[in-house]
Structures are given as C-alpha cells and as structure tokens.
Amino acid sequence: MKITNIEAFWLRCPIPKEKQHFSDYGLLTNFDMTLVVVTTDTGLQGFGEAKAAVGSSGSCASIVSCIENELKPQLVGKDARNISRIWEHVYNGTRDHYSLSRGRKFPILGRRGLTISAMSGIDTALWDIKGKVLGVPVVELLGGSCRDKMPAYASGGWAKADAIGEQLLGYTKKGFGGVKMRVGIMDQTVAESIKRVKAAREALPDHIKLMTDAHGTFSVPEAKQFTKGVEDCNLYWFEEPISPDNKIGTAEVRANTFIPIAAGESEYTAFDVRDLIAERALDVLQPDCAIIGGITEAMRVSQLAHTYQLELAPHCWGSAFSFMAGLSVAFASPSANVIEFSLGGNPMMYDLVEEDITVDKEGMLKAPDRPGLGLTPNWDFVKDFKQ
C-alpha cells in the first residue's frame, strides 16, 4: 500500500462574533488549521492536522510548503503501513539507515519546529489509514482502550472577575465535571488573575475540578505570587505558568507550590518532555498530536507519563482531527484521567467534519469505536475556507 500523494490545505474560517473571545493572543476572529491528506495507491485516504500555532489563529503557509515541497517528495512511494519507519526517515533524513541499524537518532536540523509539526499531520493521517485498512479505531492499534468512558473538562474561561463564575457555571450546566480558565498577562496584573480565580472557585461547587492556564505568560516571580494567592482554591492544575523556553524556571515554580504543574503543548518530540521531567518541572504531561510529532510521538510521551507516574492530559485545542488523535492516545494510556474539550468558537471542531463530536449529559466521552479516527472531512467546508 504505497503513498501516492500528500496534500496540505491551510484552512481559515471566521469565528462568529458572538463566539469570539479576547485573550493574550488578542481578539480571536479566525480559526486556522492545516488539514493533511495522505492518499494511497488503493485510493484510501487518511487525515491529520499540523499546527502552526498552539492557539486558534496563525499562518499555516510555511507548514503547507514544508509538507508539499519537502516531505511529500521523500515519502511518495513508501509503504503507508510502515508508520514508525516513515517517522524515523523524516526525523533523520538521509541518515535514517544509520538510525534504524544502530538504534539511535541521527536527526536533521529541523528536528524541532515546523518540520515536526508538518510530520505530525502526516503521522496522524497514516494512523488513520492503518485503522481504516484493518477496520478498527486507532485506539485499538495503540493497545486498546484502558476505559470505556473518560470525563471531559470544558476548556474556556476568559470572562472578567464579575462574570467568570457565570461563564464557568454555564459549562458545568452542560454536564462537565471540570473547567479550565485562562489567566496571565491578559489580566494585566497578577492580582487580577488571583481575583478572577477566587471568584471562579467561589461560584463553583467544591466537586468541580478547576484548572488555570497562563499560556506561558507569567514571569517566575509572578507565577510564584499567583500560586501563593490561589493556594486555597483547590486547583487541579496550573498550566504553562511561564515560557516553555525556561524549563529550569518552570521547575522553580513547581518547587514553590503544591499545585500540580501542567505543560507540554508547546513542546516538540518526547525529548523535550523528557527534559522537563529531568528538571522535575511538571506533574501533568500535555502533548499536542498536531505539534509533538503525531500520534507516534504522543504515545512515546504517554510511556514517559506511565514510567514516571505522572498524569497524561493531551492538549486537544484544535480541529476535530487533532482532537480525535489526542482522544485516542488518552484512552490508550493508563495515565490519562481527563480530556480537554474546547468551549471556544471552534468551527474546525464542528463544521469541518461530517460527524458530531459531543459529550453525554454527564460530561463523559466514550471510547472511539469507528475505523481510523472515525472522521470524514466536509469537502464543501474545505473548499470554502481554503487559503
């Protein structure tokens, strides 16, 4: 089953005004993603997502160029079933034969950044193909599901202190047992972030998990001040307190608080996550399948979580394709407890595919049961919003 074509489509869809929100990324008026399509000589297609930005909006032109002009020429003609071999080929380039024969890496210079993101979309599409060929969901290929259902947490929370409680309660009314809110530089001051979290905790029932996400925007002293100010709020975790470039600083923040620290959505490959673990910087690992290196590398991160007795919580803020990829990894991992569910304006989650992605009335997601990722692109949507 040979790869005959690899296509990448930059999609940009306007977010309806009533669903737009303001964060440290500014006012988000559009949602961008790169849809990756791998076609085989049997006519079978697999789909994945590659990200140019962790958030909702960003130019995908470089990723499209990388996929179609750099990676596609390397991979056309290769057997689509050899997912691990293809991963090593892209990561090691012309020295991939050394890597496969010696059992260690001889990586190309682009072993971080957009090359890995581009490869992420291809890798996920290959898992989608393999699942379709075998007639099983991707989670079965990853060892099977560790559970029948998993609780989702509602990811949003941008409102001011006087409205954040009402906003988060709107999520819990839909059945979610956990909610995540944004803090950090968007609040201008640490005191305002603390005020908003306290207002949220006061409004929420005690049994509701409350997470906070600073998008890496605090300084180390600010993050310490924040954790001190919210230590009585029973936070489930504090996500990306400072810049992902400062792993030692993240470890310093973690050493200063009993609040669990989460990170990983901005990291490329399991090697970056290994370094965070080595610095004792985090408690929750958050690989993004559209950034980390695809489902293949996300599962390697899952093994790190299992080995070091840390929690796995894949970053699932993106399109339906990266969501289902992260969901498959989470269900296959014994270290995963909750899964992120976007409550922002996200047409790529709901309008890009023919299938409906929903939680039940108790805020639970069931294990994937359709072949591959179980998703079908809405080609009219792709045509309308292709750049």
Side-chain angles (χ1 to χ4, degrees):
M1 189 170 60
K2 305 297 184 183
I3 297 172
T4 57
N5 196 18
I6 301 177
E7 300 167 279
F9 303 100
W10 173 10
L11 306 182
R12 166 168 284 182
C13 180
I15 299 173
K17 189 171 184 178
E18 66 274 11
K19 294 184 178 181
Q20 294 175 8
H21 65 266
F22 185 88
S23 74
D24 51 285
Y25 292 108
L27 180 65
L28 295 178
T29 58
N30 296 286
F31 206 111
D32 295 276
M33 67 89 70
T34 310
L35 175 64
V36 181
V37 184
V38 177
T39 304
T40 70
D41 57 3
T42 64
L44 189 61
Q45 290 185 320
F47 307 100
E49 177 185 358
K51 280 188 180 176
V54 175
S56 307
S57 183
S59 172
C60 300
S62 295
I63 287 187
V64 170
S65 177
C66 181
I67 291 171
E68 297 198 338
N69 298 317
E70 296 182 38
L71 301 188
K72 173 182 172 179
Q74 297 179 45
L75 300 181
V76 166
K78 291 190 177 296
D79 193 324
R81 295 170 296 185
N82 295 333
I83 300 174
S84 295
R85 187 185 301 180
I86 288 173
W87 202 98
E88 294 300 320
H89 174 72
V90 173
Y91 191 75
N92 296 283
T94 59
R95 300 187 296 179
D96 68 319
H97 60 289
Y98 291 125
S99 175
L100 293 170
S101 65
R102 303 297 177 91
R104 62 181 186 272
K105 307 298 185 190
F106 296 83
I108 60 172
L109 187 62
R111 66 188 183 277
R112 299 293 188 273
L114 292 182
T115 300
I116 299 300
S117 179
M119 182 168 68
S120 298
I122 295 172
D123 180 86
T124 296
L126 293 174
W127 282 102
D128 188 30
I129 287 172
K130 179 164 278 192
K132 290 172 179 175
V133 167
L134 298 176
V136 297
V138 167
V139 68
E140 293 298 321
L141 305 177
L142 303 178
S145 178
C146 291
R147 52 194 71 79
D148 296 327
K149 288 186 176 182
M150 182 181 295
Y153 71 87
S155 186
W158 302 276
K160 299 292 186 181
D162 60 355
I164 187 66
E166 181 182 2
Q167 186 177 56
L168 298 181
L169 285 171
Y171 302 162
T172 62
K173 288 177 182 177
K174 297 178 181 179
F176 292 99
V179 296
K180 185 165 75 180
M181 61 181 289
R182 272 58 185 180
V183 296
I185 203 167
M186 60 176 274
D187 292 326
Q188 302 300 319
T189 67
V190 178
E192 184 62 23
S193 285
I194 293 171
K195 180 181 177 182
R196 291 179 58 244
V197 173
K198 285 183 174 292
R201 185 72 274 177
E202 184 177 352
L204 293 168
D206 291 342
H207 70 278
I208 298 295
K209 292 182 175 71
L210 175 61
M211 298 87 150
T212 58
D213 184 356
H215 287 168
T217 59
F218 280 136
S219 67
V220 172
E222 288 170 338
K224 289 180 179 180
Q225 182 184 350
F226 174 79
T227 57
K228 183 69 174 177
V230 299
E231 61 184 7
D232 61 345
C233 292
N234 190 28
L235 295 186
Y236 191 72
W237 71 53
F238 178 24
E239 184 172 330
E240 281 203 316
I242 67 169
S243 169
D245 288 339
N246 191 355
K247 292 178 172 59
I248 294 174
T250 304
E252 187 178 339
V253 173
R254 180 175 181 260
N256 193 66
T257 183
F258 55 80
I259 299 171
I261 301 299
E265 68 184 52
S266 301
E267 307 297 344
Y268 296 95
T269 77
F271 298 117
D272 280 353
V273 178
R274 174 207 60 193
D275 292 346
L276 280 164
I277 295 171
E279 295 290 348
R280 303 180 67 85
L282 76 177
D283 303 279
V284 184
L285 311 185
Q286 297 180 300
D288 187 316
C289 287
I291 295 174
I292 195 78
I295 291 173
T296 296
E297 198 70 357
M299 283 302 296
R300 291 169 179 160
V301 173
S302 168
Q303 291 302 321
L304 288 174
H306 175 72
T307 301
Y308 287 94
Q309 296 292 281
L310 301 170
E311 183 173 349
L312 182 79
H315 182 245
C316 291
W317 188 276
S319 78
F321 294 101
S322 61
F323 176 83
M324 288 305 297
L327 186 72
S328 299
V329 170
F331 268 97
S333 171
S335 301
N337 296 312
V338 293
I339 194 76
E340 182 173 28
F341 199 91
S342 167
L343 265 290
N346 188 347
M348 302 302 177
M349 182 83 160
Y350 304 109
D351 302 327
L352 172 60
V353 295
E354 301 288 352
E355 295 76 14
D356 292 328
I357 300 176
T358 58
V359 298
D360 66 20
K361 62 182 180 180
E362 296 177 340
M364 304 291 286
L365 287 157
K366 67 176 183 177
D369 57 6
R370 294 190 292 265
L373 294 177
L375 298 173
T376 310
N378 177 347
W379 291 110
D380 288 334
F381 181 93
V382 173
K383 180 181 178 180
D384 288 342
F385 298 108
K386 178 179 178 294
Q387 297 301 294

